[in-house]
Amino acid sequence: MTLLTKGSPNTTRSPAQMPSPWRERLGRWDIKASPYVYISPFFVLFGIVGLFPLLYTAYVSLHEWSLIGGQGRFVGFDNFAFVLGQPVFWKSLGNTLSIFLLSTVPQVVIALVLANLLDANIRAKTFWRMGVLLPYVVAPVAVTLIFSRMFADQSGLINSLIGLVGIEPIGWHRDSLASHIAIATMVNFRWTGFNTLVLLAAMQAIPRDLYEAAIIDGAGRVRQFFSVTVPGIRPTIIFVVITSTIGGLQIFDEPRLYDIQGLGGNSGQWKTITLYLYELGWNQQKLGRAAAVAWLLFLLIIVFALVSNWISRRIASGDDSTAAARKSTRAASRQPQPAADPSAVTSLHSDDSPGSNS
């Protein structure tokens, strides 16, 4: 018999009130499986629009596949061997890397500088921040058509301006390097503002106390930028570098619309890998070979993304070690020096006296 005191709750439960083993098991499953159910829509969507096309492209690259006839016989890696044996593939790869370097590196550097200027206490900050994003809003087709006219070989605005200072007209569509610079200028014009706002958002999250401490230590604007701003936005810089790498290696709109034909120049001066893929798939109707080019581009992007991430982290770790060494040196210099021992000073003077024996 259970004795109950006055005011004490009745903690005993009848068998009907006891939770069933199935309900307890269901509760444990709910606790373990609920987080995965919540994030499952992303992975389902990624599997449909991302993973499945990637795997299906790999399947297509192993077959003869035409645009009209569809799937043909299994050829294994013959499509990859054919693509790697074509000089036009290696030329398009060199053009892609050249345009990528001419666009990505200046783009990130200029975006860092502009973001640092917009983070300062300047007048009409909202106006300048909206203005720097304006090129990103303009359609890529409009930007390419305008710049292709500006970089015309004979009557372009750029050649007219440099002709005023006595420079001969440049063949922006004829020379390989000049065409790469023109296309990289279009890419930088469109994407620099977007990367600027991404870096600016990261800079505004840096605590202002760090800048105040740097000012007290006597750091100028340049020292604050390299010692406080850059380490504070390091993950965002890595993100911008990786996304710029992916976009730079997949460039298509600018070289496709740079001239009327859209084939990358008369001799392939600015033909990129994506243009070569487009030519194989739609002009020659060789979808198996085009799929092989797509997978080679995918592997190239992975390699460059890993290299960019490794370089960014190495630079970041170097900055951390340098900053730690400077901090320890500064702390050691601020510590008071120990006082000299009077007895040692007395003995030293006694030893140096004229009457002492050597």
Side-chain angles (χ1 to χ4, degrees):
M1 179 181 297
T2 304
L3 298 179
L4 299 176
T5 59
K6 184 178 180 179
S8 61
N10 186 3
T11 58
T12 61
R13 296 182 180 180
S14 61
Q17 295 177 342
M18 295 294 292
S20 62
W22 169 251
R23 183 171 298 179
E24 292 181 355
R25 189 179 305 168
L26 185 61
R28 290 195 299 267
W29 285 353
D30 178 63
I31 295 174
K32 293 180 180 180
S34 292
Y36 300 99
V37 175
Y38 296 150
I39 65 176
S40 61
F42 166 77
F43 291 98
V44 172
L45 186 63
F46 171 75
I48 295 175
V49 303
L51 186 61
F52 172 74
L54 185 65
L55 298 178
Y56 190 72
T57 303
Y59 177 78
V60 173
S61 66
L62 301 177
H63 295 78
E64 286 185 352
W65 207 295
S66 68
L67 187 62
I68 299 177
Q71 181 179 354
R73 64 185 182 89
F74 177 80
V75 295
F77 292 97
D78 289 348
N79 289 328
F80 291 90
F82 173 83
V83 170
L84 294 175
Q86 296 297 310
V88 64
F89 170 77
W90 296 105
K91 187 173 184 178
S92 62
L93 176 60
N95 294 337
T96 302
L97 296 179
S98 176
I99 297 173
F100 159 70
L101 293 176
L102 291 173
S103 60
T104 302
V105 176
Q107 184 183 139
V108 176
V109 174
I110 296 173
L112 268 173
V113 175
L114 289 178
N116 188 55
L117 293 176
L118 293 176
D119 190 42
N121 189 16
I122 60 177
R123 296 182 180 179
K125 290 189 294 185
T126 304
F127 171 77
W128 295 113
R129 292 171 183 176
M130 292 177 59
V132 79
L133 190 61
L134 185 61
Y136 177 73
V137 181
V138 181
V141 176
V143 173
T144 306
L145 292 177
I146 293 172
F147 273 81
S148 62
R149 299 297 183 272
M150 292 174 57
F151 286 98
D153 292 348
Q154 300 298 329
S155 59
L157 177 62
I158 304 300
N159 279 339
S160 299
L161 293 177
I162 63 177
L164 298 177
V165 295
I167 301 177
E168 295 294 329
I170 300 175
W172 297 107
H173 288 75
R174 185 178 60 254
D175 299 334
S176 297
L177 181 59
S179 62
H180 297 175
I181 294 174
I183 295 174
T185 304
M186 304 179 201
V187 178
N188 293 333
F189 174 80
R190 183 165 179 255
W191 288 100
T192 300
F194 175 81
N195 291 330
T196 298
L197 291 187
V198 172
L199 295 172
L200 176 62
M203 289 181 184
Q204 291 181 337
I206 300 176
R208 301 292 103 175
D209 298 343
L210 298 179
Y211 290 101
E212 295 177 358
I215 293 174
I216 293 175
D217 288 343
R221 291 297 302 273
V222 177
R223 176 56 60 188
Q224 294 177 32
F225 176 76
F226 286 103
S227 299
V228 179
T229 304
V230 173
I233 62 172
R234 185 181 305 120
T236 307
I237 294 177
I238 296 175
F239 168 78
V240 170
V241 169
I242 293 177
T243 54
S244 300
T245 301
I246 296 174
L249 294 175
Q250 290 180 336
I251 183 172
F252 177 78
D253 295 338
E254 289 79 3
R256 177 72 173 84
L257 300 172
Y258 189 51
D259 64 349
I260 299 176
Q261 291 79 17
L263 299 177
N266 297 328
S267 58
Q269 302 95 314
W270 65 87
K271 182 190 291 292
T272 59
I273 293 181
T274 53
L275 281 180
Y276 181 55
L277 187 154
Y278 179 85
E279 180 182 351
L280 286 175
W282 296 101
N283 296 344
Q284 302 181 14
Q285 299 185 5
K286 302 293 185 181
L287 294 183
R289 296 174 181 176
V293 175
W295 254 89
L296 291 174
L297 178 60
F298 171 70
L299 297 177
L300 180 67
I301 290 174
I302 290 179
V303 171
F304 269 81
L306 293 177
V307 171
S308 300
N309 187 23
W310 179 78
I311 293 176
S312 301
R313 293 186 180 277
R314 290 284 295 179
I315 294 174
S317 62
D319 293 340
D320 289 341
S321 60
T322 303
R326 291 176 179 174
K327 186 180 295 184
S328 61
T329 304
R330 192 182 303 115
S333 63
R334 291 177 179 176
Q335 291 181 356
Q337 298 294 331
D341 189 2
S343 60
V345 175
T346 304
S347 61
L348 179 62
H349 282 286
S350 61
D351 292 339
D352 292 340
S353 59
S356 59
N357 295 327
S358 57

